[in-house]
Amino acid sequence: MGKPQALNIGDIGYIEVQSVRPSTRIAPDGFVLRETIAEYVQVLTVTASELRQDFKVEVPEAIESWRPLRLLGGGTLIFDEYGQLKYQIANHLLRDRGDRKRQGDRLAYLWKQGYLDRKVNKASHFSALHLARNGVRESN
């Protein structure tokens, strides 16, 4: 066995472990492989101005600088039977230019679709659908 490999997850935001599960499968050569699969989500909540200035993410100009925004990342880790990292599949929060572009594109899409321009007190879209289904309309 080689030197232990550090997890390449990042040091901003916080991490929520979604699941840790055992996996048993038969390899192409017929050996039984026992692995552990861990899934995690990374969450970073910052204001629009912090994203623009500190993290260099292109946030739509129409989004107020004080508005808190939540960025999401995450991945899957596969460990071998000795606990050594075998694979890591991830969408990092803000590790490189591609991540910053992906997060900016996501914010632009959410803004364009109206998910970020609602008043704080308005009901969620899900509850609004159920209210509308029962004939109740939200007042603006």
Side-chain angles (χ1 to χ4, degrees):
M1 282 191 305
K3 183 177 143 186
Q5 186 177 354
L7 299 179
N8 189 7
I9 293 179
D11 58 355
I12 58 173
Y14 69 91
I15 298 171
E16 257 180 50
V17 176
Q18 299 294 303
S19 67
V20 177
R21 297 170 296 167
S23 171
T24 305
R25 65 184 179 91
I26 306 296
D29 58 6
F31 284 101
V32 175
L33 295 177
R34 290 177 180 82
E35 299 166 324
T36 302
I37 301 171
E39 298 170 313
Y40 65 93
V41 173
Q42 291 175 278
V43 180
L44 176 66
T45 304
V46 291
T47 64
S49 66
E50 289 172 319
L51 274 178
R52 289 180 184 117
Q53 294 169 7
D54 299 341
F55 297 105
K56 309 298 183 225
V57 175
E58 291 187 28
V59 178
E61 288 299 320
I63 297 178
E64 301 90 345
S65 61
W66 55 264
R67 183 178 295 277
L69 300 170
R70 178 173 286 178
L71 301 184
L72 300 172
T76 301
L77 304 169
I78 301 177
F79 299 95
D80 65 17
E81 59 191 5
Y82 302 106
Q84 299 297 312
L85 182 62
K86 189 174 177 179
Y87 299 111
Q88 179 177 10
I89 305 151
N91 279 328
H92 299 280
L93 275 174
L94 297 167
R95 187 172 74 176
D96 57 25
R97 184 178 302 157
D99 293 334
R100 289 189 292 276
K101 180 177 179 354
R102 179 176 45 83
Q103 296 289 3
D105 291 348
R106 177 181 170 269
L107 291 172
Y109 172 80
L110 292 173
W111 180 259
K112 183 178 177 184
Q113 296 301 316
Y115 288 105
L116 300 177
D117 63 350
R118 297 177 302 177
K119 292 180 184 175
V120 176
N121 295 338
K122 267 194 168 181
S124 70
H125 288 290
F126 184 72
S127 65
L129 286 171
H130 287 282
L131 289 171
R133 183 176 170 189
N134 291 314
V136 178
R137 297 277 180 221
E138 292 185 61
S139 61
N140 291 331

